[in-house]
Amino acid sequence: MTYATPTREEGGIRTLFGLPTTMIPPTVISAFDQFAFWGMLTILVFYISTPAADGGIGLPLAVAFAISSAYAGSVYLLTLVAAWIADRVVGSEGVLRWGAVLAILGYAVLAFMPGIPGLTLGLVAVILGSAGMFVNEGTLVGGALESFETKRDAGFTVYYLASAAGAFVGITLMGVVQAAFGFHIAFAASAVGLAIGLAIYLPFRKATAEIAPKVDESLRASGTRLVVPLVVVAAALVAAIFAVSTGFDPALIVAAVSAVLAVVYFTRFFTSRDVTPAEKAGIVRYLPFFFATLVFCALYQQLFTTIAVHSEAGTDRFIFGFEIPPTAVLGIAPLCTILVAPLLAILWGKLGPKQPSASVKYAIAFAVIALALGLLAMAAATGSLTPIATLMFIVFVFGASDVVISPTGISMATGVAPKRFQTQMLSVHFIGVAVGTASSGLMAQAFVPGENETTYFFGLAAVALAVVVAMVVSRLAFGRRVIDVVETVGA
């Protein structure tokens, strides 16, 4: 699969602040996608665990943790299916567009169909639609940046900035909307927000299609072959969500399946004759960051499970006499991304090949995360309510770390991607995200509010410190920068 050449004058690609304008359409719709996705995810645990008399479903808190993490993990896991469809059926742009439509329908179902049936059907549609959007937004941005190798991290940081802006508005707004009007109106807001994003995107989709990866005709699958896997996937998702009522842990299922698929895909890359030795060398150097990203997602997802619960019951959320909704505090994470991302985009762009290695970036981010989790553990150990300023600082740290780790990881995955597996390589990166996100649900089930919070958060801090050590070892072992890896593969 190859990227189409922009239909511009020879040697000229239109740019804005040094970055190609063709990355703007997928970046813009990503902002609205993240608004809907994170806004809904922020209130999902509370919707599932809130009694039916108060507008929720009334399932136990541990089950709510499992469903929420399994849902988020499934989105990243199903990027494999979305990548396969993009590579072999309709292309990346088509999957992005129709994924948006499907996700809008899912949010609408959550809004208008109460109870477990609405939760099941709505989450299935959102999972399939969001998976199609997530992997192909990044792929399209990667295609636009193909001729801008020294500015890949800068370009992806801008892309991530737009996503963070959408997430910030969604996370902050949904908590307020839910508190004022109820869960179902908040879900409807997600549907309306994504519909607005799609309406803005559609007039510009031709420019996006020009830089989109094209379907490899030698691998093209017929429409008939497409129906079977989609039906199987949808049925599996429905069965997994309903299985919760009979005692199965969906987070464990998603984590296990994702881990197996990761092994299968990496094995395929290393054994395929279509992957050159240089490409395989790039993948080897990417592996430590794959595992580090996995761990980061397991820690970051705690914001929407254990830390969210701690924010509601264990934090003094009053500021000048007003009580801040617990979900609104979580909006500080993407707000930090909005504030920090432009600075990093400028810095990485100016430094170019002189920028810090990926291992150094990761090591610093995880060290700060360990510090933040340690502070949260000590605050919980006092036995009194955690000051709102402390919680805000901790969430801010997660946001700052996210803007370093996530764009760098996506940039590496697209940079080392074998030419025959462009979209699938990014989906493998998202498999790591799926493993980490689902694993966070398994970890969260050991959390008991008011009983083991100190031990739990200290344990998470120890995990972050272990990654710092691993990144130092990786730097000593490989000693090469992200940009060197990308250039080696592209040579």
Side-chain angles (χ1 to χ4, degrees):
M1 182 169 60
T2 58
Y3 287 106
T5 302
T7 56
R8 307 290 186 191
E9 53 192 336
E10 185 175 353
I13 299 177
R14 189 174 301 167
T15 63
L16 181 64
F17 299 111
L19 296 173
T21 56
T22 46
M23 66 173 281
I24 294 177
T27 298
V28 169
I29 196 171
S30 173
F32 288 91
D33 176 23
Q34 297 301 301
F35 162 84
F37 177 83
W38 288 106
M40 188 269 277
L41 182 61
T42 300
I43 63 175
L44 185 59
V45 165
F46 298 105
Y47 174 60
I48 296 171
S49 60
T50 297
D54 296 325
I57 295 179
L59 296 178
L61 184 60
V63 174
F65 283 156
I67 293 177
S68 177
S69 298
Y71 153 70
S74 295
V75 171
Y76 296 107
L77 174 60
L78 266 294
T79 58
L80 280 175
V81 176
W84 185 89
I85 297 173
D87 284 346
R88 303 194 178 199
V89 185
V90 297
S92 294
E93 196 283 323
V95 175
L96 169 62
R97 182 165 23 100
W98 289 108
V101 173
L102 188 56
I104 291 170
L105 293 176
Y107 293 125
V109 169
L110 285 167
F112 296 106
M113 185 182 293
I116 292 180
L119 178 70
T120 301
L121 296 178
L123 290 186
V124 168
V126 174
I127 287 170
L128 292 173
S130 295
M133 298 188 71
F134 277 21
V135 69
N136 288 292
E137 287 163 357
T139 299
L140 292 173
V141 171
L145 293 168
E146 187 179 21
S147 300
F148 297 78
E149 294 296 347
T150 61
K151 295 186 177 181
R152 290 187 68 87
D153 279 9
F156 273 101
T157 301
V158 171
Y159 159 68
Y160 208 73
L161 169 62
S163 299
F168 167 69
V169 176
I171 292 172
T172 305
L173 180 63
M174 290 307 172
V176 176
V177 172
Q178 182 272 320
F181 304 105
F183 290 105
H184 295 288
I185 297 299
F187 294 144
S190 286
V192 172
L194 184 53
I196 292 173
L198 181 61
I200 295 173
Y201 167 82
L202 288 176
F204 303 98
R205 75 178 193 85
K206 288 186 178 180
T208 303
E210 290 182 355
I211 52 91
K214 305 303 179 184
V215 177
D216 190 327
E217 294 300 328
S218 65
L219 300 175
R220 181 181 288 275
S222 65
T224 302
R225 290 179 59 192
L226 173 63
V227 172
V228 175
L230 285 181
V231 170
V232 171
V233 168
L237 288 173
V238 170
I241 295 176
F242 268 122
V244 176
S245 62
T246 61
F248 286 96
D249 190 334
L252 177 60
I253 296 173
V254 173
V257 171
S258 300
V260 170
L261 286 174
V263 172
V264 169
Y265 268 82
F266 277 119
T267 301
R268 181 186 181 191
F269 293 154
F270 286 122
T271 58
S272 174
R273 295 180 179 179
D274 294 326
V275 181
T276 68
E279 290 173 332
K280 291 177 182 178
I283 296 174
V284 169
R285 294 183 175 89
Y286 163 73
L287 281 175
F289 305 97
F290 172 84
F291 290 110
T293 301
L294 183 159
V295 175
F296 174 74
C297 292
L299 298 177
Y300 189 87
Q301 186 65 20
Q302 301 296 317
L303 287 177
F304 303 94
T305 51
T306 58
I307 295 177
V309 171
H310 179 78
S311 172
E312 181 183 42
T315 302
D316 180 2
R317 291 180 281 104
F318 283 91
I319 298 180
F320 301 118
F322 295 96
E323 186 176 21
I324 307 298
T327 55
V329 178
L330 304 180
I332 296 172
L335 175 61
C336 175
T337 300
I338 296 171
L339 297 175
V340 175
L343 302 178
L344 290 182
I346 294 172
L347 181 62
W348 302 153
K350 287 185 176 296
L351 291 177
K354 295 181 180 181
Q355 64 188 278
S357 65
S359 54
V360 171
K361 293 177 182 178
Y362 272 58
I364 294 174
F366 274 97
V368 177
I369 289 173
L371 173 63
L373 290 170
L375 290 176
L376 181 58
M378 289 187 289
T382 63
S384 57
L385 294 178
T386 300
I388 186 67
T390 300
L391 184 65
M392 291 172 68
F393 170 74
I394 292 165
V395 178
F396 189 90
V397 164
F398 268 98
S401 302
D402 186 32
V403 77
V404 172
I405 292 175
S406 294
T408 302
I410 294 174
S411 177
M412 283 195 71
T414 57
V416 304
K419 291 298 182 182
R420 286 294 297 269
F421 302 104
Q422 292 279 357
T423 307
Q424 291 181 50
M425 184 64 199
L426 183 56
S427 68
V428 170
H429 175 80
F430 284 134
I431 288 179
V433 176
V435 176
T437 302
S439 296
S440 72
L442 300 175
M443 297 161 59
Q445 292 174 48
F447 177 79
V448 182
E451 294 186 16
N452 68 344
E453 293 177 329
T454 299
T455 302
Y456 184 84
F457 291 129
F458 267 134
L460 296 183
V463 171
L465 286 176
V467 176
V468 174
V469 174
M471 287 294 98
V472 172
V473 172
S474 174
R475 181 69 176 90
L476 294 174
F478 294 118
R480 302 194 72 167
R481 301 175 185 272
V482 176
I483 194 64
D484 293 332
V485 175
V486 174
E487 289 176 347
T488 298
V489 175

